[in-house]
Amino acid sequence: MDEATYLKSYDPTAYPSIAVTVDVVALTIRDSKLCVLLVERGAPPYAGHRALPGGFVKAETLDEAAKRELAEETGLNPGHGVLDRVHLEQLKSYGDPTRDPRMRVISVAYLAFAPELPEPTAGSDAAGAYWVPVDEAKDLAFDHDEIVADGLERARSKLEYTPLATAFTNPEFTISELRQVYAAVWGEELHAGNFHRKVLSVPGFVEGTGGTTARGGERGGPRAKLYRAGDATSLHPALLRPTREDRVR
């Protein structure tokens, strides 16, 4: 049998039906806290429960589906300048046969880092949408507690070995602002002087713009230097979390 004949006679209903969804762990920093975007489900299953934004994949790629879901829940169209700066990467696939009570659903989760995303606007299938501090994102629908935990650990690890902390900042930033990103994502306080020294010792991590802030700090003093992301794709040496540094020692 040639391929054309085989495909013409192929019966997809002979196999179990499986649906594919995407779920997005969207992280941003609001009021110095790391927050995740959650929606309130407006229909069963889990009506009234909080969940990650997501939905069934349509006639689109997985990346396109994740971008669509993020755009719908943030109220930003794909051409919006802020949304264009979002770092989006595939996190993990989740396929426990019992994860969705409706049918066998495999979800491909995505992790999104973004600076200063606005108040979200719930999509048509959600009763509400809001930013929630990550330590308050619990008792979620489906297996979304596990997905959030995996996304948070991925984000924390990426900040150790890659320059993706700059995805949480404006294009130009101070070292103090970058330190606030690390402190919020890691959930740990960082020594200002040590952090400043470590950042500037990593080749290609940041580069000076030649500019400074418009004014000095809250206590006066000189204006802070402004930096932008450098051309490094990984950090050598890595910036380890203080608790991990203690274990390494």
Side-chain angles (χ1 to χ4, degrees), residues 1 11-12 27 29 32 35 38 41 50 52 62 66 106 117 122 159 162 177 185 197 234:
M1 182 184 299
D11 180 14
L27 301 174
I29 295 174
S32 300
C35 296
L38 297 180
R41 289 185 57 80
R50 300 187 303 178
L52 291 169
L62 292 171
I106 294 175
L117 283 176
L159 262 62
T162 76
E177 290 169 340
V185 176
R197 174 181 53 79
S234 59

Side-chain angles (χ1 to χ4, degrees), residues 50 73 95 98 117 144 152 171 178 188 192 235 237:
R50 300 187 303 178
E73 304 300 350
T98 63
L117 283 176
H144 290 185
L152 183 57
L178 188 64
E188 301 185 36
L235 303 184

Side-chain angles (χ1 to χ4, degrees), residues 91-241:
L91 173 62
K92 186 178 176 181
S93 297
Y94 298 82
D96 189 304
T98 63
R99 64 177 303 276
D100 193 309
R102 293 168 292 189
M103 62 181 295
R104 181 73 190 273
V105 177
I106 294 175
S107 181
V108 180
Y110 278 77
L111 179 63
F113 301 159
E116 298 183 353
L117 283 176
E119 289 296 331
T121 302
S124 59
D125 58 347
Y130 27 76
W131 292 106
V132 176
V134 292
D135 57 0
E136 298 176 15
K138 301 174 182 177
D139 300 319
L140 306 181
F142 304 105
D143 52 359
H144 290 185
D145 284 316
E146 178 186 356
I147 297 176
V148 169
D150 290 344
L152 183 57
E153 181 55 34
R154 169 76 67 86
R156 287 173 170 167
S157 296
K158 300 265 309 184
L159 262 62
E160 291 185 307
Y161 297 102
T162 76
L164 282 179
T166 57
F168 285 101
T169 68
N170 291 315
E172 294 187 355
F173 51 85
T174 66
I175 297 297
S176 177
E177 290 169 340
L178 188 64
R179 176 168 51 85
Q180 291 170 10
V181 169
Y182 274 88
V185 176
W186 285 346
E188 301 185 36
E189 291 299 320
L190 304 175
H191 186 278
N194 288 344
F195 181 81
H196 193 282
R197 174 181 53 79
K198 289 178 180 179
V199 167
L200 296 186
S201 70
V202 179
F205 185 8
V206 299
E207 59 184 27
T209 67
T212 61
T213 55
R215 61 184 66 182
E218 294 180 358
R219 300 180 181 179
R223 293 179 293 181
K225 294 181 180 180
L226 289 172
Y227 295 84
R228 65 171 69 93
D231 57 5
T233 57
S234 59
L235 303 184
H236 299 286
L239 270 69
L240 299 181
R241 284 168 263 183

Side-chain angles (χ1 to χ4, degrees), residues 11-118:
D11 180 14
T13 63
Y15 299 91
S17 177
I18 296 178
V20 178
T21 62
V22 293
D23 290 303
V24 182
V25 183
L27 301 174
T28 195
I29 295 174
R30 299 173 68 85
D31 299 325
S32 300
K33 292 183 178 180
L34 182 65
C35 296
V36 61
L37 179 61
L38 297 180
V39 300
E40 180 182 338
R41 289 185 57 80
Y46 297 103
H49 285 68
R50 300 187 303 178
L52 291 169
F56 288 96
V57 178
K58 303 177 181 179
E60 59 195 344
T61 67
L62 292 171
D63 287 1
E64 289 169 344
K67 291 176 183 177
R68 173 178 54 78
E69 289 292 340
L70 183 59
E72 289 176 358
E73 304 300 350
T74 57
L76 298 175
N77 62 58
H80 194 286
V82 174
L83 200 56
D84 289 343
R85 289 195 58 219
V86 173
H87 172 85
L88 188 70
E89 65 177 65
Q90 201 171 111
L91 173 62
K92 186 178 176 181
S93 297
Y94 298 82
D96 189 304
T98 63
R99 64 177 303 276
D100 193 309
R102 293 168 292 189
M103 62 181 295
R104 181 73 190 273
V105 177
I106 294 175
S107 181
V108 180
Y110 278 77
L111 179 63
F113 301 159
E116 298 183 353
L117 283 176

